[in-house]
Amino acid sequence: MNWQLRHDADGLAWLTLDCADGAVNTLSAPVMHELSATLDALDAQPPRGLVIRSAKKAGFIAGADIDEFAALNGPEAARELIARGWNLFERLASVRYPTLALIHGHCLGGGLELALACRYRLVADEPDTALALPEVMLGIVPGWGGMLRLPALIGAPAALDMMLTGRRIDARRAAALGLADARVPTRLLDAAARHQVLSNQKPRRARGIPALMNRPPFKGLVARQARKRIAEKDPQGHYPAPGAILDLWEHHDGNALLAPARLDAILSSDTARNLVRVFRLQERLKAHGKADGTPAVAHVHVVGAGTMGGDIAAWCALRGLTVTLQDQDLSRIAPALGRAGKLHARKLKDRRAARAAFDRLIPDPEGHGIARADVVIEAIVEQVDAKRALYRQIEPRLKPGALLATNTSSLPLRELGAELAQPQRLVGIHFFNPVARMPLVEVVRGPADDGSAQARACAFVGAIGKLPLPVQDAPGFLVNAVLAPYMLEAMRCVDEGMAPAAIDAAMTAFGMPMGPIELADTVGLDIALAAGRQLADGAEPPRCLLQHVERGELGSKTGKGFYTWRDGKAVKPARGEAGRAAPGLAQRLTAPLIARARRQVAAGVVADADLADAGVIFGTGYAPYTGGPLHGSRPQEPTAPTTE
């Protein structure tokens, strides 16, 4: 049994979900069938109220069973799956007794749709509480009532923002929006649930302007504005789900069963299949981050308070670790502390939680934290001699069992660890910039490592909420190795006379989050040149790249590169003034990226093509709708690869 039902002395029914064969709760067909049978029993003897909760430590309900969705074998099966959830939650919403969803941890997809079908919702006031309708990220729609009930509860603007982005909201935001009736300290959840269910309060509904946005003529206006934003972000229509969500909300009150043709097209699309594949790739990366008995990391010491080192330290403190940050003096550490304070305030919202995170980040110019740290991360200049000199100072002070990690983006670990007394403890932990936004971290196995250091490093990366990708020690590892030929080919197009903005526009139309020329400016043209010389198989660097570097125009960090940079943004020509990109440009630029990815797999840098796809998608933003550079057919060209 997945559900356990008990009745208390007050006549309340407490229904607890604890899926038998999983670490998280999912709404599989058997789970839904059991819930239906439970509602039958409660209809026969109605309780004073019903509280639905989870026995899983991880959270409430993670959503529908992805395996069932992936196994759908036709439109009839797809409609049956949607009808199962829609009808069951309609039934839950119409029971005569009050119902309450008691939410802690994650409440996602079908889990949130179940909660929306309850009269009340309480959320645990915890940092890991997260509510979302992320179906759009799988190329599908929230078809079990989310498109009906969420706009009615919190108003169309906020509801559409959640549904069209898949964005998660925390307990504080859920209460502020009215999605939750209250946020409650964990120790008081049961008592608060009892009080709320017996209160006989009317269920919440959107009021005022948010409520008006659900009605004509305002509903049509909201939909038109949302379609305009979707078109700006996805001009080629690679992702059909957002438009379908809007249509179903506007014309069918969120009932996907009233638009079977639209539903069939969405659920059977290549985009949906590929985004489900990407989800599974993400889960595979997360599996590498499972601790599996490895010692937990409590203290991290970071050497180098520059952009990368300082931001790594700030992220680790945000995720609950004690962090000591070392550089030559406090004046070099101060800018990193300023960025950390802003990050913690932005991510945590709560002033006390942000202050606690900031207090976990300790300036340490003398390096006293080295002796206490479980992991020491070096993030200094990319020079072998400088790193070796630092290791000579660090290694004698490391405690037994501590990992020594380098954030190098390209230097071979076999050279960096050549003088270490215990080279087996050296591991690469390569974060990407910006640290707070990039989910992937390459974890590099050194030549003296039997695999245990890499496994421990992967567990550390998983513990701080990042996706670890195990890679072998090789020039550029995976991500930089595939990016270098892609960016260099784009610069050769500039040598041929194509405008940088036209090249970038063609590749963002293809589905990249940023064009290759803007990416090179962001990385730094000096770094792009050095990486190109290392990874371009002896080919001459593009003339335009050499010219910019010779003039000291290194990109965003100097304010000028291929673009002029102001306030951290590239200044680009107005729409229609950037010129045309050549036909076939997306195929031309991705061809060397794909070829290099195949080479890295063949060389054993990553274990297989699936992990290569995962690394390139989560490390570069490679168009997720394709399923990855090594998956499926050749790249699809945008139908109008121009800025006109």
Side-chain angles (χ1 to χ4, degrees):
M1 293 289 290
N2 298 293
W3 295 94
Q4 291 83 43
L5 178 66
R6 73 173 179 87
H7 296 266
D8 67 15
D10 293 325
L12 293 183
W14 297 76
L15 183 60
T16 303
L17 179 58
D18 188 5
C19 287
D21 298 317
V24 299
N25 290 326
T26 57
L27 297 174
S28 64
V31 170
M32 301 283 270
H33 178 75
E34 285 183 34
L35 177 57
S36 180
T38 301
L39 293 179
D40 288 341
L42 293 176
D43 282 347
Q45 291 185 307
R48 289 184 67 190
L50 172 66
V51 178
I52 301 176
R53 61 184 180 179
S54 163
K56 301 293 188 187
K57 184 178 179 180
F60 185 62
I61 301 174
D65 188 323
I66 294 296
D67 290 336
E68 289 184 359
F69 171 73
L72 293 176
N73 57 5
E76 186 174 335
R79 288 194 292 271
E80 182 180 334
L81 185 147
I82 295 296
R84 178 199 307 157
W86 174 272
N87 294 333
L88 182 58
F89 293 167
E90 280 282 286
R91 180 182 178 191
L92 176 62
S94 63
V95 296
R96 291 173 288 167
Y97 44 85
T99 55
L100 180 143
L102 192 57
I103 298 165
H104 73 277
H106 55 243
C107 177
L108 309 176
L112 181 53
E113 290 180 295
L114 185 152
L116 288 168
C118 293
R119 183 181 298 184
Y120 310 117
R121 286 152 297 283
L122 295 181
V123 294
D125 193 9
E126 299 174 347
D128 60 350
T129 297
L131 292 78
L133 291 176
E135 286 85 353
V136 71
M137 301 172 73
L138 296 176
I140 56 178
V141 301
W144 288 354
M147 294 181 289
L148 167 68
R149 296 189 179 92
L150 188 62
L153 183 64
I154 65 174
L160 289 174
D161 180 68
M162 287 184 64
M163 293 189 295
L164 297 178
T165 66
R167 187 177 294 121
R168 298 186 179 198
I169 62 171
D170 60 13
R172 176 182 290 269
R173 181 66 174 156
L177 285 174
L179 177 49
D181 292 88
R183 55 189 177 102
V184 181
T186 302
R187 70 184 186 279
L188 301 177
L189 281 174
D190 283 3
R194 183 187 308 277
H195 178 269
Q196 185 73 38
V197 170
L198 297 177
S199 69
N200 203 31
Q201 292 179 6
K202 290 184 178 180
R204 285 178 176 264
R205 289 290 182 268
R207 299 181 184 279
I209 293 177
L212 285 176
M213 297 298 104
N214 287 317
R215 304 171 191 162
F218 305 105
K219 192 173 190 179
L221 176 62
V222 170
R224 285 194 296 274
Q225 292 175 336
R227 286 191 184 90
K228 188 179 298 184
R229 291 193 295 270
I230 290 171
E232 290 172 354
K233 292 182 179 180
D234 181 24
Q236 304 303 323
H238 296 307
Y239 301 94
I245 289 171
L246 274 177
D247 287 348
L248 292 169
W249 167 72
E250 182 183 10
H251 300 298
H252 303 288
D253 288 329
N255 188 349
L257 297 173
L258 298 179
R262 191 67 187 267
L263 181 62
D264 295 347
I266 288 291
L267 296 180
S268 64
S269 67
D270 289 340
T271 294
R273 282 192 292 270
N274 286 338
L275 291 179
V276 169
R277 167 182 162 78
V278 171
F279 171 80
R280 287 179 159 165
L281 294 177
Q282 183 180 36
E283 292 301 299
R284 185 176 173 190
L285 292 177
K286 287 180 179 179
H288 285 293
K290 299 289 176 61
D292 292 334
T294 59
V297 171
H299 184 167
V300 175
H301 183 83
V302 180
V303 185
T307 299
M308 288 302 298
D311 290 358
I312 291 168
W315 183 264
C316 291
L318 175 75
R319 299 294 298 188
L321 303 183
T322 297
V323 184
T324 41
L325 179 58
Q326 179 181 354
D327 213 309
Q328 295 176 0
D329 53 55
L330 285 173
S331 66
R332 292 176 179 264
I333 299 174
L337 297 179
R339 295 195 307 275
K342 293 178 181 177
L343 172 70
H344 297 160
R346 186 174 74 250
K347 289 286 187 180
L348 296 174
K349 305 293 191 298
D350 184 282
R351 187 180 302 174
R352 288 173 298 176
R355 183 67 202 185
F358 188 75
D359 288 345
R360 289 191 290 268
L361 179 54
I362 305 164
D364 185 16
E366 301 298 325
H368 297 300
I370 293 173
R372 301 189 301 274
D374 304 300
V375 177
V376 175
I377 302 175
E378 164 270 304
I380 66 170
V381 64
E382 286 284 273
Q383 294 177 3
V384 172
D385 291 343
K387 292 180 185 290
R388 282 182 175 177
L390 177 64
Y391 298 167
R392 286 194 290 271
Q393 299 173 29
I394 289 176
E395 188 177 25
R397 303 166 67 185
L398 293 173
K399 73 178 185 181
L403 288 178
L404 175 58
T406 175
N407 186 53
T408 183
S409 60
S410 58
L411 297 177
L413 269 65
R414 63 180 178 276
E415 294 183 22
L416 296 179
E419 298 177 359
L420 289 173
Q422 297 183 52
Q424 68 274 13
R425 72 160 102 207
L426 178 66
V427 65
I429 302 182
H430 177 215
F431 290 81
F432 295 90
N433 190 29
V435 171
R437 289 175 53 194
M438 297 300 290
L440 190 81
V441 176
E442 290 178 313
V443 182
V444 189
R445 180 174 175 176
D449 179 12
D450 63 1
S452 59
Q454 186 181 48
R456 289 171 57 203
C458 283
F460 159 67
V461 169
I464 61 171
K466 296 294 185 182
L467 301 175
L469 174 69
V471 295
Q472 299 297 317
D473 191 18
F477 313 130
L478 173 70
V479 173
N480 284 344
V482 303
L483 274 181
Y486 166 68
M487 291 191 293
L488 291 174
E489 189 65 21
M491 293 179 207
R492 292 189 181 96
C493 291
V494 176
D495 283 347
E496 295 170 13
M498 291 188 213
I503 296 168
D504 283 346
M507 296 315 296
T508 54
F510 167 67
M512 301 299 243
M514 179 184 293
I517 303 299
E518 184 177 355
L519 177 62
D521 261 5
T522 303
V523 169
L525 299 186
D526 52 338
I527 295 173
L529 179 61
R533 284 174 168 155
Q534 183 182 23
L535 300 168
D537 299 325
E540 285 294 316
R543 293 188 310 276
C544 58
L545 176 60
L546 287 171
Q547 290 166 358
H548 281 298
V549 173
E550 288 169 358
R551 292 195 295 262
E553 298 169 354
L554 306 182
S556 61
K557 60 187 173 184
T558 62
K560 187 170 178 59
F562 285 96
Y563 297 105
T564 298
W565 288 77
R566 292 181 190 147
D567 300 324
K569 295 183 179 180
V571 179
K572 297 183 179 181
R575 185 181 297 272
E577 296 179 3
R580 290 182 175 275
L585 183 63
Q587 183 176 329
R588 173 180 171 178
L589 296 192
T590 55
L593 182 154
I594 293 168
R596 180 58 60 90
R598 289 192 178 118
R599 281 176 52 182
Q600 299 305 92
V601 173
V605 176
V606 283
D608 53 50
D610 282 349
L611 274 184
D613 278 340
V616 177
I617 289 170
F618 292 105
T620 75
Y622 190 94
Y625 73 89
T626 66
L630 301 185
H631 173 69
S633 59
R634 297 162 69 181
Q636 301 173 26
E637 287 294 328
T639 56
T642 76
T643 57
E644 297 181 355

